[in-house]
Amino acid sequence: HAEGLLGRVVKNFSGRPGLAIAERHYVTALRIRIAAFGPWSLPVAESYQDLGNLYRMRRSVAAARSMFETALDIRRGILGPRHDEVGSTLASLAFLEANEGDWAAAETLAGAAVAATPERSGHPTGDRSIRVGLQGRMLLRMGRTAEALPLLTEAAALRESVWERGPRDQASAVMAGLALHRDVALALALEGRGDEAFEELARGMSRTLSGRWYDPDARVSDPWRGLLPAVRARLRPDEALVTWVRATTLPLTDDDPILACVVRPGGPVRWIPIRHVVPVTPHLGTIRDVYWHEMRNAGTWPRRVAPSPATERMADRMTREWFAPVESTLTGVTRLVVCGPDLFAGGPLGALRDRDGRWLADRYVISYTPSALLFVHDRENARPARVAYGRPALLVGDPAYSEQDPGRWSRLPGAGDEIRALTSRMPSATVLAGADASAARLRALAGSGALARYGVLHFAGHTAIDLRGALESALVLAPDSSAGSLNSRLRAREIADRWRLDADLVSLAGCRSVEGMQSASEGWLGLNEAFLSAGARSLLVTLWPVDDAATARLMEEFYGRLEDGTRRPDRAEALREAQRALREWHAPDGSRPYAHPAYWAAFVLIGDPG
């Protein structure tokens, strides 16, 4: 048992480099179990099942299939045809075939897994919903939408039951699998039921954030019912809410349903098919995956990159596939609200170029919202600009990092320039810099309730990103005491649980500040989730590594526009103008060092644009 448990822990928490170690533990467990219980026993079947799951992760298809089939023979022989463990192995085989793109075989196996799963009185199990949902997804993949819809609806209802019985926090949202609502929405849209599809889609987005504002045990039992008219009523005449939706099962193929959904103040919801093309090398995904990968690589600093025809071709192709089909629905639109916990399919919409070579960041004022429900909440509770203007600011940056810290964090010259420039623009701001930029100082402000008086919170420094734990990403700050030898960390969970903000804007100017553990329904469960949970009305975050000097310049441009009392653009407009100014800035040698989208497109505004 210990060897099998060790293998599972290493497999689940060490990533691909740990798979070889996990395999050794699993093989040792198998030998021990054969010796102790005999080759035809349930503990041995468990070891074969573990090995099958490991080989599936390694894409060793033949080995995985052999392990699963052996486990299935043992379990059926001892437990009979109808038992949850038999259903589990059949489901594993179904997922294996789905990963290979054999939808018909996967659907047949998923149906067999459902049939093998006993009906239970009382609470339904999450396992049954996974198996029913997989069968529905495979039918959807094969174009059998009418057959898929009732199965997907049943699976989503089962997932809701799992969610209701849990603590309804970020970790339980990941386990609940509420992204199944996305598949139901796709099926409804393909069946021509667009209004129902929109509200179903909204049910599967950012449930933990929604729970902060809409407690299902309190005043609003079903806040998604009637959501579409509420969204329409709160859109400006020149504004559209847009989202892109794809099925939740990998791998992505050319015939995989991807739809864009457009909501305008008047008229029907529009659902538009996206004609994407998957490269010959399937692991590359779509042009979306290739382009975002390019942006992340190019954004790694202090490396310098210039615009190239290859980058422009990627931006152009992504526009043709993902945005051009939507354009005919956007006549008269100057502002776009991109709706979804993962922004525009994991990246910034503004980094696309139209057929005339214009960046979409120049054509539209773009902001992002984690869900349609939160969009309505933000608009209902928007603070008037005249009230927000002039509220005090808290500037935290250029921490004095300790050389003894294991992270070996280097001090950022640009962060110091950034804080000094912002201080000159906001002379009444509270500034925590150098040794004062510590978690202890911020905890004291949070504990006293003083943080709630600030309209702007700005953080300039390193962020420690944790991709495996919900709300484990952190701000890296100066040691908490003069005698301290380790930098302090302010983790996302502490911010979400203990901070209470009334900030109109929180800026997280460090690298990759949006990132954290990712969930299909919740998006990135990192610092962005934490600050929105704590009460930030809007959040300026980065999507990949950002250049130190470029960030300082962009932030100066951004706040300069926000502080311009003659114009007072909203936050989304100010960001667009700052991005353009950074892109077009000329160095003394006449070059434009920040023209590549890796430098300016990484910054996005989430929440109320003001």
Side-chain angles (χ1 to χ4, degrees), residues 224-248:
W224 297 275
R225 189 176 299 279
L227 179 63
L228 181 57
V231 170
R232 285 194 178 112
R234 286 156 184 82
L235 286 167
R236 292 167 37 155
D238 65 339
E239 196 171 37
L241 184 141
V242 190
T243 188
W244 283 261
V245 190
R246 57 155 292 185
T248 55

Side-chain angles (χ1 to χ4, degrees), residues 37-106:
F37 304 106
W40 195 263
S41 63
L42 291 177
V44 168
E46 181 181 359
S47 284
Y48 283 123
Q49 179 85 11
D50 287 338
L51 283 163
N53 285 322
L54 183 143
Y55 293 140
R56 185 179 68 189
M57 289 178 67
R58 291 171 60 170
R59 301 299 300 271
S60 300
V61 177
R65 187 178 288 114
S66 174
M67 294 296 105
F68 289 141
E69 288 174 350
T70 303
L72 182 62
D73 287 343
I74 295 172
R75 285 176 167 176
R76 273 179 171 162
I78 297 173
L79 301 172
R82 190 168 170 80
H83 191 279
D84 195 60
E85 290 186 24
V86 174
S88 173
T89 305
L90 285 165
S92 295
L93 282 163
F95 277 110
L96 183 67
E97 299 303 335
N99 287 338
E100 293 304 299
D102 191 339
W103 316 134

Side-chain angles (χ1 to χ4, degrees), residues 439-452 490 494 498-501:
R441 291 294 304 273
L442 288 166
R443 287 189 181 107
L445 289 171
S448 69
L451 283 179
L490 196 58
E494 179 179 348
R498 300 181 187 177
W499 284 26
R500 292 297 173 262
L501 303 177

Side-chain angles (χ1 to χ4, degrees), residues 403-424:
E403 294 181 359
Q404 281 72 48
D405 191 273
R408 298 289 189 268
W409 303 96
S410 59
R411 202 157 180 175
L412 298 171
D417 296 340
E418 191 175 314
I419 293 297
R420 286 187 289 273
L422 297 184
T423 301
S424 67

Side-chain angles (χ1 to χ4, degrees), residues 25 107 217 255 278 286 364 371 462:
H25 287 298
E107 189 273 328
D217 296 330
D255 58 353
V278 175
T286 66
Y364 302 99
S371 75
H462 287 296

Side-chain angles (χ1 to χ4, degrees), residues 353-502:
R353 298 196 330 161
D354 67 13
R355 62 177 63 89
D356 297 321
R358 292 177 298 172
W359 298 106
L360 295 191
D362 289 337
R363 280 186 57 184
Y364 302 99
V365 177
I366 302 171
S367 61
Y368 300 83
T369 182
S371 75
L373 191 65
L374 292 170
F375 167 79
V376 170
H377 175 271
D378 287 343
R379 293 294 170 96
E380 287 178 341
N381 297 275
R383 193 194 306 276
R386 64 181 182 277
V387 177
Y389 185 76
R391 295 182 68 212
L394 174 65
L395 309 178
V396 182
D398 190 24
Y401 297 120
S402 168
E403 294 181 359
Q404 281 72 48
D405 191 273
R408 298 289 189 268
W409 303 96
S410 59
R411 202 157 180 175
L412 298 171
D417 296 340
E418 191 175 314
I419 293 297
R420 286 187 289 273
L422 297 184
T423 301
S424 67
R425 290 192 177 277
M426 296 178 273
S428 62
T430 300
V431 180
L432 300 179
D436 287 332
S438 69
R441 291 294 304 273
L442 288 166
R443 287 189 181 107
L445 289 171
S448 69
L451 283 179
R453 73 184 185 90
Y454 294 109
V456 174
L457 280 73
H458 182 90
F459 296 89
H462 287 296
T463 52
I465 304 302
D466 191 318
L467 301 178
R468 296 179 185 172
L471 298 182
E472 291 300 315
S473 295
L475 298 171
V476 183
L477 299 162
D480 284 331
S481 68
S482 58
S485 61
L486 296 179
N487 300 314
S488 55
R489 306 285 194 275
L490 196 58
R491 298 199 180 277
R493 184 169 301 284
E494 179 179 348
I495 295 167
D497 292 345
R498 300 181 187 177
W499 284 26
R500 292 297 173 262
L501 303 177
D502 190 27

Side-chain angles (χ1 to χ4, degrees), residues 202-211 340-341 370-371 374 521-523 529:
R203 291 178 187 275
M205 288 185 177
S206 299
R207 292 291 289 273
T208 51
L209 276 176
S210 300
S371 75
L374 292 170
S521 64
E522 308 304 295
E529 171 89 2

